[in-house]
Amino acid sequence: MADMMKTKPFKRMAQRVTETQILFPALALIVSAVLWMGTVLLIRVDTQATRDSALAMTRELTETYEAQVLRVLREIEQNFKIIQYAFDQQPRDQILAELSVRELLPPTLLFNIAILGPGGRPLPGSATLAYPVDEDTLATHAQSDNLIIDAPAATTSSSEYLQFRRRLSNQQGDFVGVAVIEADAAFFTSSYDESRMGENGMLALIGTEGQVKVRRLGQQVIAGEPMNYGEFMEGLASDMETVSLLRRSPLDGELRYISARALFGFPLAVAVGLSEAEQHAPMQARADTYIARGALINLLLLLVIGLLWRLSAQLARSRRLEVENKIAHAEQIEYLAYHDGLTGLPNRSLFSKLLSQNIAQGVRANTQLALMFLDLDHFKYINDTLGHDAGDDLLKEVSQRLRDALRESDIVARLGGDEFVVILPVVKTAEECVTVARKIIQTVAKPYQLAGQNFSVTASIGISMFPEDGRDEETLTKHADIAMYKAKQEGKNTFQLYSSNLHAESIERLALESNLRQALERDQFTLMFQVKQNLKRDGISGVQAVLRWQHPHMGLVTPSRFLKAAEEMGLLVPIGRWMLNQACRLHQQWLAASGQTLCIAVELWRPMFYASHLLADIQSALKDAGLPPECLEVEISESVLMEDIDKSIKILSNLKALGVRIALGNFGVGYSCMGNLRSLPVDVIKLDRSFVSNLSPDNEDRERAEAICTLGKSLGMTLIADGVETDSQMQYLKANSTRCLEGFYRNSPMTAEAFSNLIQSLERQAS
Amino acid sequence: MKLISCLAASVMLSQMVHSASAEVVVVVAADSPVNSLSKSHIANIFLGRNNYLDGRIRVTPVDQPEGSQARQEFYENVVNWNPASVKAHWSKMIFTGRGKPPRQVASDTAVKALVASSPGAIGYIDAASVDSSVKVLKLAQ
């Protein structure tokens, strides 16, 4: 744990450092620092080297200068000795000439040589002296045997001389004169070497008594300046080794590398000085170069780093983007995988996940949950009528309404088509579910604006509850589905809670559906017949073929129980074809047997009606049976007709051209096409069965029926009522129906055999 | 008017000076193998930079006294150095122990005597003083 605590900040720091916005500036800073530290160090080293070499050179020059001055002084001493010797040997007037011839005297180009008598009179051959020797000086020499070196009082003329004097003695040691050698002062600084000492170097010959005999600063030679000798030599005077120092020169105030040596055996010292500024100038220039170069390199490095930084930032950005894109893509894919593209609701697989999660939660928390299956009624119709875009808009709107109607915690999903599902994760009672279901039904039922028109859509809801109606996903969904199916059967726009007897029904339905496919092949379908009775006069005015399924275990099954399944399985067209053929065949037989001219009505279901081969089917059915077309009446539901009124009119015209009669069924409810009635080539109008049960005198339906009847009559159509089930209903209809109503269908289908017998008995009655 | 007379006077004066300046010649011993030397070689000999007359013979340059006309003209025309520079040069040479200045004799005659008597000697004299004891060197450029 402690280790963890230790390593974490390190890791964090390492991560932080590798981030570009820290890494690169840090890198730039480090590189710059290293560069400048290097530059400073280089300059330092160079400065030190320059200083050391200047100090060493000063020492070396001093030692050389010392040697040179010493040699010259020794030569001058030697000259004095020669003069003394000659003085002892020669006649005095000849001395100088003789010495000159023998080249024992220094060159007259630079030296003035004179010999003075005790009174100061010069001997023949003596040069004219720059500084005449006075009596006091002579007196001094009479007293002392020392070599005297005199410099003039400070002047700067270029022809200054230093005067060397020595007493001359005879054999007895008496004072007999003074030998004088004057040397051009510049001579003592003529070893000045510009190539090594620059333009501002210093050479000096200093008297220990405090007079600068001669000194040269650059090109300027000065003789005879006063100077504090002790102060000047402080720290420099050493017999053993030459010392050099950097200090301000007392001669001109210049900062110099100075070195000096006291001369052995003479009251003199030599000093050499190099100007610090001058000695450092090349180094200074180099330092400037280093700095300039450093600055340039630094700038380039910074540019490169900046460029790298930018590139890396771009790279990082693009990487980040790539990662973000990948994530977004993955999220998108996940979203797409789990959501319905149209409505954005969870799809079947996510719903399945959510449901199992919620079931698990319910198991843990011991709570109930509710599952609702919701299916839109007549959605198909809207889709087909207004187009898929409108259908999509409707689905979106429904989704939105469902979301709005439910709580945040509730789940809405779309399973596809017009099937929605709702999970109420926690419910306490079934009443709660009922409340929610009612709310949903109300919400969905509000009118929609689609393609610029108002439409109403209703919903059927099936509800199953955990744990009561199932403890697992599969069971719950199955049961909710069963309940929904029941709600649809109950007349739609309603909800149904699951119960176990529904289950039995659904099992039966499933059994039916599974057998439905083989029903045609195994010839299990059969037709039954409803007679059309005349209201005006008792008697049969027609017959209608209705479909029944002779199920091996369940007996006769009415279409209401399998029609929807058959439609879903795409069996309506083949079954419809079979019906047409069968009806035509049987009817032809009866007609042939009885000589009657009854018309047989067969209902055309939606897929059959809109099928492209409808005419061909009818023609072949008539032809196969040998039935005249006027004996066939095809019946189409008003709602089917209304799905595509323009197309319907074309189809009806074609049917009319065939010569068959056309009946409009289930008329007067829902989607009334009374306005279109004029343009429809219809022979018969079948009023919906709901009219039969609502024929009381003061009733809206009745008025409506009256209106329809009047209109139909005026258009030359026959009006028939549908769905008379009992004798009392029949009596009532006879008594109360409108004048226009011509007849009705008895809702008591009979077998082909029974009907055949009925016809024959009628035949017998008639004959 | 005054200007013109001034000019005329100065022209005359300069001509006089010119005629007064005698020509200096460089001489060696009459039997010397050397016949001609370049001015720069002669200058180098008199400035102590070259110690040989030609490849083998050690040279002894001979100067005339300071201030003599011959010396002035020789240094002006042949060596091409002014007296101060010559002095400074020898100062340094002597002080640093690298040589000594040419031997100095009193006159053309002394120069001739010295030159005639030593094979490596070289000097300069007035052209008028030339005799058979010495050979006048041709001065190549």
Side-chain angles (χ1 to χ4, degrees), chain A residues 66-82 147 149 164 166 181 187-188 262-266 268:
Chain A
E66 175 194 25
Q68 289 165 340
V69 171
L70 270 175
R71 191 173 47 74
V72 169
L73 292 176
R74 297 244 165 84
E75 270 180 22
I76 289 171
E77 273 200 314
Q78 198 67 31
N79 286 327
F80 281 129
K81 282 177 182 164
I82 287 169
L147 172 72
I149 306 167
F164 297 79
R166 188 122 210 199
I181 299 179
F187 170 73
F188 289 91
L263 298 181
F264 173 75
F266 296 95
L268 291 170

PDB file of all heavy atoms in Angstrom, chain A residues 66-82 147 149 164 166 181 187-188 262-266 268:
ATOM      1  N   GLU A  66      64.670  41.479 -19.491  1.00  0.00           N
ATOM      2  CA  GLU A  66      65.686  41.539 -18.433  1.00  0.00           C
ATOM      3  C   GLU A  66      67.047  41.131 -18.997  1.00  0.00           C
ATOM      4  O   GLU A  66      68.067  41.828 -18.785  1.00  0.00           O
ATOM      5  CB  GLU A  66      65.285  40.604 -17.291  1.00  0.00           C
ATOM      6  CG  GLU A  66      66.324  40.494 -16.192  1.00  0.00           C
ATOM      7  CD  GLU A  66      66.081  39.325 -15.252  1.00  0.00           C
ATOM      8  OE1 GLU A  66      65.426  38.342 -15.688  1.00  0.00           O
ATOM      9  OE2 GLU A  66      66.535  39.389 -14.107  1.00  0.00           O
ATOM     10  N   ALA A  67      67.041  40.031 -19.722  1.00  0.00           N
ATOM     11  CA  ALA A  67      68.301  39.535 -20.271  1.00  0.00           C
ATOM     12  C   ALA A  67      68.914  40.550 -21.225  1.00  0.00           C
ATOM     13  O   ALA A  67      70.133  40.817 -21.197  1.00  0.00           O
ATOM     14  CB  ALA A  67      68.058  38.209 -20.989  1.00  0.00           C
ATOM     15  N   GLN A  68      68.038  41.128 -22.075  1.00  0.00           N
ATOM     16  CA  GLN A  68      68.541  42.095 -23.060  1.00  0.00           C
ATOM     17  C   GLN A  68      69.138  43.317 -22.370  1.00  0.00           C
ATOM     18  O   GLN A  68      70.259  43.767 -22.675  1.00  0.00           O
ATOM     19  CB  GLN A  68      67.409  42.526 -24.005  1.00  0.00           C
ATOM     20  CG  GLN A  68      67.000  41.420 -24.964  1.00  0.00           C
ATOM     21  CD  GLN A  68      65.678  41.694 -25.638  1.00  0.00           C
ATOM     22  OE1 GLN A  68      64.877  42.504 -25.141  1.00  0.00           O
ATOM     23  NE2 GLN A  68      65.443  41.033 -26.763  1.00  0.00           N
ATOM     24  N   VAL A  69      68.399  43.865 -21.403  1.00  0.00           N
ATOM     25  CA  VAL A  69      68.863  45.072 -20.709  1.00  0.00           C
ATOM     26  C   VAL A  69      70.161  44.777 -19.977  1.00  0.00           C
ATOM     27  O   VAL A  69      71.127  45.546 -20.046  1.00  0.00           O
ATOM     28  CB  VAL A  69      67.789  45.596 -19.739  1.00  0.00           C
ATOM     29  CG1 VAL A  69      68.359  46.716 -18.857  1.00  0.00           C
ATOM     30  CG2 VAL A  69      66.596  46.106 -20.512  1.00  0.00           C
ATOM     31  N   LEU A  70      70.172  43.573 -19.305  1.00  0.00           N
ATOM     32  CA  LEU A  70      71.378  43.210 -18.574  1.00  0.00           C
ATOM     33  C   LEU A  70      72.588  43.141 -19.495  1.00  0.00           C
ATOM     34  O   LEU A  70      73.667  43.639 -19.187  1.00  0.00           O
ATOM     35  CB  LEU A  70      71.201  41.869 -17.876  1.00  0.00           C
ATOM     36  CG  LEU A  70      70.647  41.958 -16.457  1.00  0.00           C
ATOM     37  CD1 LEU A  70      70.403  40.570 -15.902  1.00  0.00           C
ATOM     38  CD2 LEU A  70      71.612  42.732 -15.548  1.00  0.00           C
ATOM     39  N   ARG A  71      72.387  42.525 -20.668  1.00  0.00           N
ATOM     40  CA  ARG A  71      73.510  42.397 -21.612  1.00  0.00           C
ATOM     41  C   ARG A  71      74.014  43.779 -22.036  1.00  0.00           C
ATOM     42  O   ARG A  71      75.213  44.052 -22.034  1.00  0.00           O
ATOM     43  CB  ARG A  71      73.074  41.594 -22.831  1.00  0.00           C
ATOM     44  CG  ARG A  71      74.240  41.194 -23.727  1.00  0.00           C
ATOM     45  CD  ARG A  71      73.773  40.255 -24.812  1.00  0.00           C
ATOM     46  NE  ARG A  71      72.560  40.753 -25.458  1.00  0.00           N
ATOM     47  CZ  ARG A  71      72.521  41.773 -26.310  1.00  0.00           C
ATOM     48  NH1 ARG A  71      73.634  42.410 -26.620  1.00  0.00           N
ATOM     49  NH2 ARG A  71      71.384  42.155 -26.842  1.00  0.00           N
ATOM     50  N   VAL A  72      73.071  44.676 -22.392  1.00  0.00           N
ATOM     51  CA  VAL A  72      73.452  46.030 -22.822  1.00  0.00           C
ATOM     52  C   VAL A  72      74.201  46.741 -21.698  1.00  0.00           C
ATOM     53  O   VAL A  72      75.261  47.341 -21.917  1.00  0.00           O
ATOM     54  CB  VAL A  72      72.202  46.819 -23.251  1.00  0.00           C
ATOM     55  CG1 VAL A  72      72.546  48.295 -23.450  1.00  0.00           C
ATOM     56  CG2 VAL A  72      71.649  46.254 -24.538  1.00  0.00           C
ATOM     57  N   LEU A  73      73.660  46.602 -20.461  1.00  0.00           N
ATOM     58  CA  LEU A  73      74.320  47.285 -19.329  1.00  0.00           C
ATOM     59  C   LEU A  73      75.724  46.724 -19.100  1.00  0.00           C
ATOM     60  O   LEU A  73      76.675  47.458 -18.835  1.00  0.00           O
ATOM     61  CB  LEU A  73      73.472  47.135 -18.060  1.00  0.00           C
ATOM     62  CG  LEU A  73      72.133  47.892 -18.076  1.00  0.00           C
ATOM     63  CD1 LEU A  73      71.327  47.583 -16.816  1.00  0.00           C
ATOM     64  CD2 LEU A  73      72.354  49.394 -18.183  1.00  0.00           C
ATOM     65  N   ARG A  74      75.847  45.400 -19.230  1.00  0.00           N
ATOM     66  CA  ARG A  74      77.161  44.778 -19.035  1.00  0.00           C
ATOM     67  C   ARG A  74      78.148  45.285 -20.101  1.00  0.00           C
ATOM     68  O   ARG A  74      79.308  45.536 -19.829  1.00  0.00           O
ATOM     69  CB  ARG A  74      77.052  43.253 -19.120  1.00  0.00           C
ATOM     70  CG  ARG A  74      76.176  42.697 -18.019  1.00  0.00           C
ATOM     71  CD  ARG A  74      76.942  41.797 -17.060  1.00  0.00           C
ATOM     72  NE  ARG A  74      76.138  41.613 -15.854  1.00  0.00           N
ATOM     73  CZ  ARG A  74      75.166  40.680 -15.738  1.00  0.00           C
ATOM     74  NH1 ARG A  74      74.932  39.852 -16.746  1.00  0.00           N
ATOM     75  NH2 ARG A  74      74.473  40.602 -14.625  1.00  0.00           N
ATOM     76  N   GLU A  75      77.591  45.371 -21.336  1.00  0.00           N
ATOM     77  CA  GLU A  75      78.456  45.875 -22.413  1.00  0.00           C
ATOM     78  C   GLU A  75      78.926  47.286 -22.088  1.00  0.00           C
ATOM     79  O   GLU A  75      80.095  47.646 -22.285  1.00  0.00           O
ATOM     80  CB  GLU A  75      77.713  45.873 -23.753  1.00  0.00           C
ATOM     81  CG  GLU A  75      77.883  44.560 -24.497  1.00  0.00           C
ATOM     82  CD  GLU A  75      77.144  44.543 -25.821  1.00  0.00           C
ATOM     83  OE1 GLU A  75      76.855  45.644 -26.352  1.00  0.00           O
ATOM     84  OE2 GLU A  75      76.842  43.431 -26.320  1.00  0.00           O
ATOM     85  N   ILE A  76      78.010  48.117 -21.574  1.00  0.00           N
ATOM     86  CA  ILE A  76      78.373  49.501 -21.222  1.00  0.00           C
ATOM     87  C   ILE A  76      79.417  49.478 -20.107  1.00  0.00           C
ATOM     88  O   ILE A  76      80.450  50.177 -20.175  1.00  0.00           O
ATOM     89  CB  ILE A  76      77.134  50.304 -20.815  1.00  0.00           C
ATOM     90  CG1 ILE A  76      76.277  50.562 -22.077  1.00  0.00           C
ATOM     91  CG2 ILE A  76      77.506  51.653 -20.184  1.00  0.00           C
ATOM     92  CD1 ILE A  76      74.913  51.154 -21.806  1.00  0.00           C
ATOM     93  N   GLU A  77      79.204  48.593 -19.115  1.00  0.00           N
ATOM     94  CA  GLU A  77      80.195  48.449 -18.047  1.00  0.00           C
ATOM     95  C   GLU A  77      81.543  48.032 -18.614  1.00  0.00           C
ATOM     96  O   GLU A  77      82.601  48.556 -18.243  1.00  0.00           O
ATOM     97  CB  GLU A  77      79.731  47.394 -17.037  1.00  0.00           C
ATOM     98  CG  GLU A  77      78.853  47.971 -15.952  1.00  0.00           C
ATOM     99  CD  GLU A  77      78.814  47.058 -14.731  1.00  0.00           C
ATOM    100  OE1 GLU A  77      78.649  45.839 -14.933  1.00  0.00           O
ATOM    101  OE2 GLU A  77      78.950  47.563 -13.601  1.00  0.00           O
ATOM    102  N   GLN A  78      81.453  47.095 -19.561  1.00  0.00           N
ATOM    103  CA  GLN A  78      82.667  46.613 -20.221  1.00  0.00           C
ATOM    104  C   GLN A  78      83.380  47.767 -20.923  1.00  0.00           C
ATOM    105  O   GLN A  78      84.588  47.916 -20.827  1.00  0.00           O
ATOM    106  CB  GLN A  78      82.245  45.550 -21.261  1.00  0.00           C
ATOM    107  CG  GLN A  78      83.363  44.654 -21.718  1.00  0.00           C
ATOM    108  CD  GLN A  78      83.864  43.757 -20.578  1.00  0.00           C
ATOM    109  OE1 GLN A  78      83.099  43.380 -19.689  1.00  0.00           O
ATOM    110  NE2 GLN A  78      85.159  43.484 -20.573  1.00  0.00           N
ATOM    111  N   ASN A  79      82.579  48.599 -21.614  1.00  0.00           N
ATOM    112  CA  ASN A  79      83.151  49.754 -22.309  1.00  0.00           C
ATOM    113  C   ASN A  79      83.893  50.662 -21.321  1.00  0.00           C
ATOM    114  O   ASN A  79      84.992  51.155 -21.615  1.00  0.00           O
ATOM    115  CB  ASN A  79      82.058  50.550 -23.010  1.00  0.00           C
ATOM    116  CG  ASN A  79      81.564  49.820 -24.269  1.00  0.00           C
ATOM    117  OD1 ASN A  79      82.341  49.131 -24.929  1.00  0.00           O
ATOM    118  ND2 ASN A  79      80.298  49.950 -24.568  1.00  0.00           N
ATOM    119  N   PHE A  80      83.234  50.878 -20.149  1.00  0.00           N
ATOM    120  CA  PHE A  80      83.907  51.716 -19.137  1.00  0.00           C
ATOM    121  C   PHE A  80      85.235  51.100 -18.708  1.00  0.00           C
ATOM    122  O   PHE A  80      86.239  51.780 -18.556  1.00  0.00           O
ATOM    123  CB  PHE A  80      82.995  51.910 -17.905  1.00  0.00           C
ATOM    124  CG  PHE A  80      81.928  52.956 -18.122  1.00  0.00           C
ATOM    125  CD1 PHE A  80      80.587  52.692 -17.863  1.00  0.00           C
ATOM    126  CD2 PHE A  80      82.265  54.230 -18.587  1.00  0.00           C
ATOM    127  CE1 PHE A  80      79.604  53.651 -18.058  1.00  0.00           C
ATOM    128  CE2 PHE A  80      81.277  55.189 -18.778  1.00  0.00           C
ATOM    129  CZ  PHE A  80      79.953  54.895 -18.518  1.00  0.00           C
ATOM    130  N   LYS A  81      85.213  49.762 -18.556  1.00  0.00           N
ATOM    131  CA  LYS A  81      86.448  49.104 -18.135  1.00  0.00           C
ATOM    132  C   LYS A  81      87.539  49.252 -19.203  1.00  0.00           C
ATOM    133  O   LYS A  81      88.711  49.489 -18.898  1.00  0.00           O
ATOM    134  CB  LYS A  81      86.183  47.622 -17.857  1.00  0.00           C
ATOM    135  CG  LYS A  81      85.516  47.423 -16.508  1.00  0.00           C
ATOM    136  CD  LYS A  81      85.195  45.958 -16.285  1.00  0.00           C
ATOM    137  CE  LYS A  81      84.471  45.800 -14.944  1.00  0.00           C
ATOM    138  NZ  LYS A  81      83.819  44.479 -14.868  1.00  0.00           N
ATOM    139  N   ILE A  82      87.094  49.107 -20.475  1.00  0.00           N
ATOM    140  CA  ILE A  82      88.065  49.254 -21.577  1.00  0.00           C
ATOM    141  C   ILE A  82      88.645  50.666 -21.554  1.00  0.00           C
ATOM    142  O   ILE A  82      89.858  50.871 -21.674  1.00  0.00           O
ATOM    143  CB  ILE A  82      87.385  48.957 -22.927  1.00  0.00           C
ATOM    144  CG1 ILE A  82      87.137  47.448 -23.035  1.00  0.00           C
ATOM    145  CG2 ILE A  82      88.243  49.439 -24.104  1.00  0.00           C
ATOM    146  CD1 ILE A  82      86.244  47.051 -24.179  1.00  0.00           C
ATOM    147  N   LEU A 147      78.656  53.304 -10.780  1.00  0.00           N
ATOM    148  CA  LEU A 147      78.090  53.618 -12.103  1.00  0.00           C
ATOM    149  C   LEU A 147      76.831  54.447 -11.861  1.00  0.00           C
ATOM    150  O   LEU A 147      75.972  54.071 -11.089  1.00  0.00           O
ATOM    151  CB  LEU A 147      77.727  52.331 -12.844  1.00  0.00           C
ATOM    152  CG  LEU A 147      76.963  52.500 -14.146  1.00  0.00           C
ATOM    153  CD1 LEU A 147      77.890  53.053 -15.245  1.00  0.00           C
ATOM    154  CD2 LEU A 147      76.362  51.174 -14.595  1.00  0.00           C
ATOM    155  N   ILE A 149      73.531  56.190 -13.471  1.00  0.00           N
ATOM    156  CA  ILE A 149      72.658  56.228 -14.660  1.00  0.00           C
ATOM    157  C   ILE A 149      71.698  57.378 -14.460  1.00  0.00           C
ATOM    158  O   ILE A 149      70.939  57.420 -13.496  1.00  0.00           O
ATOM    159  CB  ILE A 149      71.860  54.930 -14.810  1.00  0.00           C
ATOM    160  CG1 ILE A 149      72.813  53.727 -14.795  1.00  0.00           C
ATOM    161  CG2 ILE A 149      71.045  54.959 -16.093  1.00  0.00           C
ATOM    162  CD1 ILE A 149      72.113  52.387 -14.626  1.00  0.00           C
ATOM    163  N   PHE A 164      75.157  57.367 -18.880  1.00  0.00           N
ATOM    164  CA  PHE A 164      75.888  56.478 -17.972  1.00  0.00           C
ATOM    165  C   PHE A 164      77.242  57.128 -17.713  1.00  0.00           C
ATOM    166  O   PHE A 164      77.910  57.565 -18.664  1.00  0.00           O
ATOM    167  CB  PHE A 164      76.101  55.106 -18.622  1.00  0.00           C
ATOM    168  CG  PHE A 164      74.818  54.374 -18.922  1.00  0.00           C
ATOM    169  CD1 PHE A 164      74.059  54.706 -20.034  1.00  0.00           C
ATOM    170  CD2 PHE A 164      74.365  53.359 -18.080  1.00  0.00           C
ATOM    171  CE1 PHE A 164      72.886  54.045 -20.307  1.00  0.00           C
ATOM    172  CE2 PHE A 164      73.197  52.696 -18.353  1.00  0.00           C
ATOM    173  CZ  PHE A 164      72.447  53.024 -19.461  1.00  0.00           C
ATOM    174  N   ARG A 166      81.041  57.100 -15.309  1.00  0.00           N
ATOM    175  CA  ARG A 166      81.857  56.340 -14.356  1.00  0.00           C
ATOM    176  C   ARG A 166      83.155  57.133 -14.109  1.00  0.00           C
ATOM    177  O   ARG A 166      83.731  57.716 -15.028  1.00  0.00           O
ATOM    178  CB  ARG A 166      82.205  54.989 -14.977  1.00  0.00           C
ATOM    179  CG  ARG A 166      82.870  54.061 -14.040  1.00  0.00           C
ATOM    180  CD  ARG A 166      82.076  52.811 -13.924  1.00  0.00           C
ATOM    181  NE  ARG A 166      82.238  52.217 -12.631  1.00  0.00           N
ATOM    182  CZ  ARG A 166      81.966  50.949 -12.360  1.00  0.00           C
ATOM    183  NH1 ARG A 166      81.493  50.200 -13.338  1.00  0.00           N
ATOM    184  NH2 ARG A 166      82.155  50.475 -11.172  1.00  0.00           N
ATOM    185  N   ILE A 181      78.900  57.651 -21.293  1.00  0.00           N
ATOM    186  CA  ILE A 181      78.288  57.035 -22.483  1.00  0.00           C
ATOM    187  C   ILE A 181      76.790  57.409 -22.469  1.00  0.00           C
ATOM    188  O   ILE A 181      76.068  57.096 -21.525  1.00  0.00           O
ATOM    189  CB  ILE A 181      78.418  55.501 -22.469  1.00  0.00           C
ATOM    190  CG1 ILE A 181      79.896  55.103 -22.468  1.00  0.00           C
ATOM    191  CG2 ILE A 181      77.701  54.896 -23.675  1.00  0.00           C
ATOM    192  CD1 ILE A 181      80.158  53.620 -22.420  1.00  0.00           C
ATOM    193  N   PHE A 187      66.516  53.393 -27.431  1.00  0.00           N
ATOM    194  CA  PHE A 187      67.285  52.176 -27.608  1.00  0.00           C
ATOM    195  C   PHE A 187      66.900  51.121 -26.569  1.00  0.00           C
ATOM    196  O   PHE A 187      66.809  49.943 -26.855  1.00  0.00           O
ATOM    197  CB  PHE A 187      68.784  52.518 -27.511  1.00  0.00           C
ATOM    198  CG  PHE A 187      69.692  51.331 -27.430  1.00  0.00           C
ATOM    199  CD1 PHE A 187      69.911  50.548 -28.570  1.00  0.00           C
ATOM    200  CD2 PHE A 187      70.341  50.997 -26.247  1.00  0.00           C
ATOM    201  CE1 PHE A 187      70.765  49.464 -28.495  1.00  0.00           C
ATOM    202  CE2 PHE A 187      71.184  49.905 -26.186  1.00  0.00           C
ATOM    203  CZ  PHE A 187      71.405  49.132 -27.317  1.00  0.00           C
ATOM    204  N   PHE A 188      66.602  51.580 -25.351  1.00  0.00           N
ATOM    205  CA  PHE A 188      66.309  50.631 -24.267  1.00  0.00           C
ATOM    206  C   PHE A 188      64.905  50.026 -24.332  1.00  0.00           C
ATOM    207  O   PHE A 188      64.577  49.120 -23.601  1.00  0.00           O
ATOM    208  CB  PHE A 188      66.536  51.292 -22.893  1.00  0.00           C
ATOM    209  CG  PHE A 188      67.980  51.522 -22.623  1.00  0.00           C
ATOM    210  CD1 PHE A 188      68.604  52.721 -22.970  1.00  0.00           C
ATOM    211  CD2 PHE A 188      68.765  50.514 -22.060  1.00  0.00           C
ATOM    212  CE1 PHE A 188      69.952  52.912 -22.745  1.00  0.00           C
ATOM    213  CE2 PHE A 188      70.119  50.723 -21.844  1.00  0.00           C
ATOM    214  CZ  PHE A 188      70.724  51.922 -22.184  1.00  0.00           C
ATOM    215  N   ALA A 262      63.792  42.976 -10.713  1.00  0.00           N
ATOM    216  CA  ALA A 262      64.914  43.849 -10.318  1.00  0.00           C
ATOM    217  C   ALA A 262      66.179  43.269 -10.952  1.00  0.00           C
ATOM    218  O   ALA A 262      66.367  42.050 -10.973  1.00  0.00           O
ATOM    219  CB  ALA A 262      65.049  43.847  -8.800  1.00  0.00           C
ATOM    220  N   LEU A 263      67.003  44.148 -11.532  1.00  0.00           N
ATOM    221  CA  LEU A 263      68.181  43.652 -12.245  1.00  0.00           C
ATOM    222  C   LEU A 263      69.313  43.357 -11.261  1.00  0.00           C
ATOM    223  O   LEU A 263      69.579  44.140 -10.339  1.00  0.00           O
ATOM    224  CB  LEU A 263      68.659  44.683 -13.281  1.00  0.00           C
ATOM    225  CG  LEU A 263      67.650  44.994 -14.384  1.00  0.00           C
ATOM    226  CD1 LEU A 263      68.241  46.007 -15.358  1.00  0.00           C
ATOM    227  CD2 LEU A 263      67.268  43.736 -15.144  1.00  0.00           C
ATOM    228  N   PHE A 264      69.983  42.252 -11.509  1.00  0.00           N
ATOM    229  CA  PHE A 264      71.067  41.859 -10.617  1.00  0.00           C
ATOM    230  C   PHE A 264      72.274  42.770 -10.848  1.00  0.00           C
ATOM    231  O   PHE A 264      72.745  42.905 -11.975  1.00  0.00           O
ATOM    232  CB  PHE A 264      71.452  40.398 -10.886  1.00  0.00           C
ATOM    233  CG  PHE A 264      72.658  39.949 -10.128  1.00  0.00           C
ATOM    234  CD1 PHE A 264      72.567  39.680  -8.761  1.00  0.00           C
ATOM    235  CD2 PHE A 264      73.887  39.826 -10.765  1.00  0.00           C
ATOM    236  CE1 PHE A 264      73.689  39.283  -8.069  1.00  0.00           C
ATOM    237  CE2 PHE A 264      75.002  39.435 -10.057  1.00  0.00           C
ATOM    238  CZ  PHE A 264      74.904  39.149  -8.703  1.00  0.00           C
ATOM    239  N   GLY A 265      72.739  43.440  -9.815  1.00  0.00           N
ATOM    240  CA  GLY A 265      73.956  44.247  -9.894  1.00  0.00           C
ATOM    241  C   GLY A 265      73.739  45.666 -10.384  1.00  0.00           C
ATOM    242  O   GLY A 265      74.684  46.414 -10.560  1.00  0.00           O
ATOM    243  N   PHE A 266      72.489  46.039 -10.648  1.00  0.00           N
ATOM    244  CA  PHE A 266      72.215  47.420 -11.078  1.00  0.00           C
ATOM    245  C   PHE A 266      71.055  47.968 -10.276  1.00  0.00           C
ATOM    246  O   PHE A 266      70.159  47.219  -9.896  1.00  0.00           O
ATOM    247  CB  PHE A 266      71.867  47.474 -12.572  1.00  0.00           C
ATOM    248  CG  PHE A 266      73.011  47.057 -13.447  1.00  0.00           C
ATOM    249  CD1 PHE A 266      73.118  45.744 -13.905  1.00  0.00           C
ATOM    250  CD2 PHE A 266      74.002  47.975 -13.812  1.00  0.00           C
ATOM    251  CE1 PHE A 266      74.175  45.363 -14.717  1.00  0.00           C
ATOM    252  CE2 PHE A 266      75.051  47.567 -14.630  1.00  0.00           C
ATOM    253  CZ  PHE A 266      75.150  46.274 -15.085  1.00  0.00           C
ATOM    254  N   LEU A 268      68.350  49.025 -10.912  1.00  0.00           N
ATOM    255  CA  LEU A 268      67.281  49.155 -11.915  1.00  0.00           C
ATOM    256  C   LEU A 268      66.354  47.944 -11.864  1.00  0.00           C
ATOM    257  O   LEU A 268      66.758  46.875 -11.409  1.00  0.00           O
ATOM    258  CB  LEU A 268      67.897  49.214 -13.315  1.00  0.00           C
ATOM    259  CG  LEU A 268      68.697  50.453 -13.710  1.00  0.00           C
ATOM    260  CD1 LEU A 268      69.412  50.186 -15.013  1.00  0.00           C
ATOM    261  CD2 LEU A 268      67.761  51.655 -13.840  1.00  0.00           C
TER     262      LEU A 268
END
